[in-house]
Amino acid sequence: MVNRLSDAEITTAVAELTGWKLDGKFIVKKYRFREFLKGVAFVNEIAELSEEKNHHPFIAIDYKLVTLRLTSWNAGGLTDLDVALAKMYDEIYGKM
């Protein structure tokens, strides 16, 4: 089981992430795309990685805007895994 981060650890981790915001027990980021299908391709890559890590974000596709929300339900809040995946998602976006 993954341990929940303390409030101080969460504050530090979110400050080190680009564009991610704290929203209660979630970290949230919106990604913009020039084309609808680029956003869908991004979501497909996110889905593959998330399945591999067995940790899945909430995903919303609103035309050319993809919103990801991460938390760890079993831990009751944010964990190192959420932060690590946020960084990996940003890397995927950077390659698109």
Side-chain angles (χ1 to χ4, degrees), residues 52-86:
E52 177 185 308
K53 300 294 184 184
N54 194 31
H55 193 68
H56 307 86
F58 287 86
I59 302 171
I61 303 172
D62 298 301
Y63 187 40
K64 298 178 188 178
L65 181 69
V66 174
T67 305
L68 300 180
R69 297 173 63 215
L70 280 164
T71 195
S72 295
W73 292 109
N74 292 341
L78 294 167
T79 66
D80 285 333
L81 182 56
D82 296 302
V83 174
L85 280 172

Side-chain angles (χ1 to χ4, degrees), residues 5 8 15 20 26 34 39 51 55-56 63-64 88 90-91:
L5 297 175
W20 288 86
F26 292 90
R34 292 184 190 262
E51 191 67 13
H55 193 68
H56 307 86
Y63 187 40
K64 298 178 188 178
M88 289 181 217
D90 285 347
E91 287 175 19

Side-chain angles (χ1 to χ4, degrees), residues 37-38 56:
L37 289 178
K38 294 284 186 189
H56 307 86

Side-chain angles (χ1 to χ4, degrees), residues 3-76:
N3 292 324
R4 183 183 174 284
L5 297 175
S6 69
D7 290 344
E9 290 170 323
I10 291 169
T11 300
T12 300
V14 171
E16 293 172 358
L17 295 171
T18 304
W20 288 86
K21 306 284 186 225
L22 186 60
D23 183 10
K25 290 184 178 185
F26 292 90
I27 51 174
V28 180
K29 184 167 182 178
K30 296 178 184 296
Y31 297 87
R32 295 193 182 278
F33 295 87
R34 292 184 190 262
E35 301 168 21
F36 172 72
L37 289 178
K38 294 284 186 189
V40 172
F42 173 71
V43 167
N44 284 332
E45 286 199 47
I46 293 301
E48 289 290 330
L49 175 61
S50 299
E51 191 67 13
E52 177 185 308
K53 300 294 184 184
N54 194 31
H55 193 68
H56 307 86
F58 287 86
I59 302 171
I61 303 172
D62 298 301
Y63 187 40
K64 298 178 188 178
L65 181 69
V66 174
T67 305
L68 300 180
R69 297 173 63 215
L70 280 164
T71 195
S72 295
W73 292 109
N74 292 341

